[in-house]
Amino acid sequence: MSVDQLVKKIKEKGNPSVAGLDPRVEYVPEHIRERAYREYGKTLKGAAEAIWEFNKGLIDALYDVVPAVKPQSAFYEMYGLPGEEVLHRTIQYAKEKGLYVILDVKRNDIGSTAAAYSAAYLGRVDIDGAEAEPCPVDSITVNPYLGTDGIQPFVDDCIKYDKSIFVLARTSNPSSGELQMLYSGEKMIFEHVAALIDKWNEGTVGENGYGAVGAVVGATHADDAKIMRSILKRAYFLVPGYGAQGGGLEGVSRCFNDDGLGAIVNSSRGIMCAYKKSDRGGEAFADAARTEAVRMKEEITSIIK
């Protein structure tokens, strides 16, 4: 199963973290932006090409440190078609470097539309008898709000094409509790989602004991992460909220199982923008990102059993 590939890469690098590639053009060092603007102008194309050079430098600096990267689709879509082309270029380059790629798209809809989304990101499409893969990622994030018929197409494609998904469960944003902590019966909504994730994982568990259906569980909610972990022994957790969003080591530690596995912790701005805290400035953005990724690795591994 795809999750076994993720576990293998985590073990090889001794690092349960993922670098988020969520670039705004203002995050890109000035010298890269100016070079792109000279060639393409201050246009969508210019911004996208600056982001591409930034991403490539980050991947080159990180691929032997982190097991995975997580591009957030919105930060590419906002630059139009040039941005989306750079997203696909980034995915392909990360795959060439041996990285596990989690595309953060948070898709879902009614059954037939969910199936189309799943084909777009996890599966294949039929073109008059010829089969094509639109987006060669390993995993995507999905929204569970529509229930089982909105999730099942993704699960089916995970099994068919050896992929994985991470279902939004207890997210790191401040207002998440407005819905996720409402009670339905004796349990909160996020607990009901956890029970569904465990059900959706049936028949997908790989050799390491984890299924293709994971959960997004924020590091900003330590007590809730503990509850989620108690329900979901066989689901991998994608853990946002570490670093820039305020999530600390306590919340992170609650996301791991006793085997030292079960979670991969994301940092986006903390790694991408590490150069802004460096005396060397933007010219050393790649070195600064690598230094922060190594620091993060050492910090997280220090609290895993």
Side-chain angles (χ1 to χ4, degrees):
M1 297 298 294
S2 176
V3 72
D4 289 319
Q5 298 173 29
L6 176 59
V7 171
K8 180 181 178 182
K9 293 178 187 296
I10 289 171
K11 288 180 175 179
E12 286 174 349
K13 294 174 183 176
N15 186 4
S17 68
V18 52
L21 298 178
D22 306 353
R24 290 179 175 271
V25 73
E26 57 264 33
Y27 295 170
V28 179
E30 184 177 5
H31 71 283
I32 296 176
R33 298 201 310 268
E34 290 303 317
R35 185 158 55 237
Y37 296 157
R38 282 196 298 271
E39 185 168 356
Y40 301 104
K42 291 185 178 180
T43 63
L44 294 173
K45 178 69 170 175
E49 290 302 325
I51 286 169
W52 161 245
E53 186 174 343
F54 185 47
N55 281 357
K56 187 174 183 295
L58 290 169
I59 291 169
D60 286 342
L62 298 171
Y63 76 90
D64 63 335
V65 177
V66 300
V69 291
K70 183 181 72 65
Q72 163 52 261
S73 181
F75 289 97
Y76 300 85
E77 294 173 24
M78 67 188 292
Y79 298 106
L81 289 176
E84 293 190 49
E85 192 277 328
V86 163
L87 171 61
H88 284 260
R89 209 188 303 171
T90 297
I91 290 165
Q92 186 61 47
Y93 191 68
K95 294 288 289 181
E96 290 171 3
K97 289 292 187 177
L99 291 163
Y100 193 90
V101 180
I102 303 166
L103 181 58
D104 197 351
V105 287
K106 298 181 176 71
R107 296 294 195 258
N108 205 327
D109 211 307
I110 62 171
S112 59
T113 312
Y117 274 136
S118 186
Y121 295 106
L122 298 177
R124 307 288 189 274
V125 294
D126 180 84
I127 305 171
D128 284 333
E131 190 175 75
E133 183 181 24
C135 189
V137 296
D138 298 291
S139 181
I140 64 169
T141 56
V142 298
N143 192 318
Y145 190 72
L146 281 83
T148 298
D149 67 338
I151 292 291
Q152 195 61 50
F154 296 97
V155 177
D156 292 344
D157 280 344
C158 283
I159 295 169
K160 186 175 182 180
Y161 298 110
D162 193 18
K163 305 285 186 173
S164 70
I165 56 175
F166 289 94
V167 178
L168 301 180
R170 185 67 180 100
T171 58
S172 59
N173 57 303
S175 64
S176 60
E178 291 176 358
L179 290 176
Q180 295 166 16
M181 296 189 73
L182 291 177
Y183 273 90
S184 175
E186 297 181 354
K187 295 180 180 180
M188 285 179 278
I189 294 297
F190 77 84
E191 295 177 270
H192 289 285
V193 172
L196 284 170
I197 291 171
D198 194 52
K199 177 182 177 182
W200 294 329
N201 248 332
E202 292 176 4
T204 77
V205 177
E207 62 185 31
N208 288 286
Y210 294 96
V213 185
V216 177
V217 181
T220 49
H221 308 296
D223 291 341
D224 298 339
K226 183 178 181 180
I227 294 171
M228 292 289 293
R229 190 77 277 175
S230 70
I231 299 170
L232 292 170
K233 296 297 185 183
R234 58 185 181 176
Y236 235 83
F237 285 9
L238 173 61
V239 185
Y242 170 89
Q245 292 186 50
L249 289 179
E250 182 180 5
V252 169
S253 67
R254 302 286 181 88
C255 293
F256 286 88
N257 272 320
D258 291 340
D259 60 4
L261 298 171
I264 186 163
V265 184
N266 180 77
S267 176
S268 298
R269 281 172 289 168
I271 291 176
M272 289 189 306
C273 297
Y275 75 90
K276 294 187 177 183
K277 299 179 180 180
S278 169
D279 293 337
R280 297 170 63 194
E283 294 283 352
F285 78 93
D287 288 342
R290 183 182 178 87
T291 298
E292 171 58 19
V294 171
R295 187 208 63 77
M296 178 183 174
K297 168 187 174 179
E298 292 172 350
E299 183 172 77
I300 292 173
T301 54
S302 73
I303 52 92
I304 300 174
K305 293 180 181 179

